[in-house]
Amino acid sequence: YDGQGSLYNPFAGTASYCTAMRGSGRVVGQEINKSTWAIGVLRMLAYGMDASSLYCEDSLQMWRGNGSSVINPERFDCIVATPPFGMRVNDPHHSNGYSFIEDLFINNCLNSISANGTVIGVFPMGVTFRRWKSLESRQSYIDRDQLDTVISLPAGVFNYTSIPTVI
């Protein structure tokens, strides 16, 4: 991502990815926790960025992309996020048949990126080994040449978890 296109962060937290990948392009973010969202808005303002496109809302229910959405009809050049680890999706109206948020995130991203877009996500290592629909999805990403690289990180790399992760 060169900072010129559009960036979407559906799990924005304190807007770390939004501020790190800033440029002259459009940045859209969502954070469900109001206190965390407020910190993200302040961080974006401190970096001289327009914080009006950092929304305090649930990205699973209000996904801002897919090319046909009334909320946001565009596709994004880059989607980057760290979805909550191991969270189960309990809402059948928004799950698309996926049980875990990481799988739903990847599916939504692939339907929301531009033709040459990039998706970057940080996930628990278990995402690479899960069965059922996850296995079918991973195989289809490989078959359609949608998976470029998986980077395995050791336990303890991130402050908030001691489990091994993948990018």
Side-chain angles (χ1 to χ4, degrees):
Y1 178 74
D2 62 5
Q4 303 305 306
S6 56
L7 173 76
Y8 178 40
N9 183 354
F11 303 98
T14 58
S16 296
Y17 292 135
C18 295
T19 56
M21 297 183 156
R22 68 187 183 277
S24 61
R26 181 164 186 255
V27 175
V28 177
Q30 292 170 286
E31 174 53 44
I32 193 170
N33 181 289
K34 194 169 192 170
S35 298
T36 305
W37 166 80
I39 293 169
V41 167
L42 292 174
R43 286 189 76 204
M44 288 181 75
L45 292 172
Y47 277 88
M49 299 175 69
D50 177 11
S52 66
S53 60
L54 182 61
Y55 301 96
C56 185
E57 61 192 11
D58 184 345
S59 59
L60 294 183
Q61 294 183 10
M62 303 287 290
W63 187 264
R64 293 194 170 258
N66 80 6
S68 63
S69 170
V70 173
I71 295 169
N72 190 354
E74 74 175 305
R75 292 187 179 270
F76 295 96
D77 297 309
C78 182
I79 302 174
V80 60
T82 303
F85 287 3
M87 183 176 158
R88 288 182 99 32
V89 180
N90 295 321
D91 185 347
H93 300 294
H94 298 99
S95 71
N96 289 340
Y98 293 97
S99 298
F100 290 93
I101 198 167
E102 299 95 345
D103 301 320
L104 180 59
F105 166 76
I106 293 168
N107 180 68
N108 284 351
C109 287
L110 293 176
N111 290 319
S112 303
I113 57 172
S114 61
N116 295 313
T118 301
V119 176
I120 304 167
V122 178
F123 309 102
M125 180 74 72
V127 168
T128 60
F129 301 109
R130 268 194 215 128
R131 298 264 180 212
W132 309 112
K133 189 160 182 150
S134 298
L135 178 63
E136 294 170 20
S137 296
R138 286 192 310 272
Q139 186 61 51
S140 73
Y141 305 148
I142 293 167
D143 293 345
R144 294 182 297 187
D145 197 29
Q146 292 177 309
L147 180 63
D148 184 37
T149 305
V150 176
I151 301 169
S152 177
L153 302 173
V157 169
F158 297 105
N159 299 358
Y160 54 86
T161 184
S162 62
I163 63 173
T165 53
V166 294
I167 299 175

